[in-house]
Amino acid sequence: MHISHIEHIGIAVKNLEESIKFYEEVLGLKCYAIEEVADQRVKTAFFMVGQTKVELLESTDPEGPIGKFIDKKGEGVHHMAFAVKGIEDALATMDEKGIRLIDKAPRKGAEGLDIAFLHPKSTHGVLMELCEDKNK
Amino acid sequence: MHISHIEHIGIAVKNLEESIKFYEEVLGLKCYAIEEVADQRVKTAFFMVGQTKVELLESTDPEGPIGKFIDKKGEGVHHMAFAVKGIEDALATMDEKGIRLIDKAPRKGAEGLDIAFLHPKSTHGVLMELCEDKNK
């Protein structure tokens, strides 16, 4: 598998508007997009930090994945996403190695990327996402 | 403040050797350095992923910061570090804005960088580190 860079860091927040204010006014970053991903029951805000995006995630449903995460652990880093080439082959190889996959096949995520999650039980505690931009 | 990129992602792990094996054999990344930071009571392993390092942290003392983190939350992302220019000015400006600083002045971290931590109570849940490489 070839990982080129960290595509994004997903951060669970309680209130998107207040968090955007912190990232812009204190850290000096610029929010370039806000997107609702109905499928994941989140509203997201994106910031570019060098090669990597910071993706803030506010739950639109207490029973959604981010709602449950915040309920259990509070605000904080939710997942780390790697940019890869050949996501299908990467998943097949991991499956063969016994890695627990949340998505056995890629699905569409924010910004039109092909994405798949790996289970933190198989990755030493970090919820990891693989992403491929097939338009590049 | 000017943030150029994410300098590293710090990840707390229980066993450095087993985790290195996962990052190398499953993710295909290459560990380029192992360093003990006595001051922080950790042994660290570094991987380059594009512009950003992944820094795995194993505690050398159950009462150290990583030991306590794992005891409370388990393995997972521990902190996120931004590369900045002018770390002293950045800290002074944050202090003026009422941001809670763990380090009011920079100190030496791994790889000889000047570093300072911001308290997660002021950053919407993420333990954040500012880093500056004054040799660059």
Side-chain angles (χ1 to χ4, degrees), chain B residues 29-98:
Chain B
L29 300 170
K30 177 87 196 108
C31 175
Y32 70 87
I34 292 178
E35 186 181 352
E36 187 158 343
V37 186
D39 175 43
Q40 290 291 302
R41 288 171 281 172
V42 288
K43 204 162 66 171
T44 64
F46 288 95
F47 302 80
M48 203 75 227
V49 192
Q51 280 179 331
T52 299
K53 293 159 197 158
V54 166
E55 178 186 23
L56 302 182
L57 301 147
E58 180 194 300
S59 185
T60 54
D61 174 356
E63 293 303 310
I66 296 299
K68 283 186 185 165
F69 177 88
I70 287 192
D71 198 39
K72 196 171 157 197
K73 302 194 172 188
E75 294 183 302
V77 174
H78 176 260
H79 66 275
M80 177 161 73
F82 295 112
V84 300
K85 293 273 170 214
I87 188 167
E88 291 86 356
D89 289 350
L91 291 171
T93 308
M94 285 189 174
D95 197 28
E96 276 166 26
K97 287 183 179 172

Side-chain angles (χ1 to χ4, degrees), chain B residues 108 111-114 132-136:
Chain B
K108 285 289 170 197
E111 300 193 317
L113 300 181
D114 286 299
E132 185 169 22
D133 186 349
K134 296 239 170 107
N135 299 315
K136 271 194 185 165

Side-chain angles (χ1 to χ4, degrees), chain A residues 12-14 57 59 65-76:
Chain A
V13 300
K14 286 182 184 163
L57 302 146
S59 184
I66 296 299
K68 283 184 184 165
F69 177 90
I70 286 191
D71 198 40
K72 196 172 159 197
K73 302 193 172 188
E75 295 183 302

Side-chain angles (χ1 to χ4, degrees), chain A residues 88-130:
Chain A
E88 291 85 357
D89 290 351
L91 291 171
T93 307
M94 286 189 173
D95 198 26
E96 275 166 26
K97 288 183 177 169
I99 301 301
R100 198 164 146 193
L101 306 175
I102 294 175
D103 303 293
K104 291 221 169 196
R107 55 187 171 83
K108 285 288 169 198
E111 300 193 317
L113 301 181
D114 287 300
I115 66 157
F117 281 92
L118 315 180
H119 198 286
K121 289 257 185 231
S122 277
T123 64
H124 297 268
V126 177
L127 176 59
M128 290 183 181
E129 181 182 348
L130 305 182

Side-chain angles (χ1 to χ4, degrees), chain A residues 29-57:
Chain A
L29 300 170
K30 175 88 195 108
C31 175
Y32 70 88
I34 292 177
E35 185 181 353
E36 186 157 344
V37 187
D39 176 43
Q40 290 291 304
R41 289 172 280 172
V42 288
K43 207 162 63 171
T44 64
F46 288 95
F47 302 79
M48 203 75 228
V49 192
Q51 280 179 331
T52 299
K53 293 158 197 159
V54 166
E55 179 186 22
L56 302 182
L57 302 146

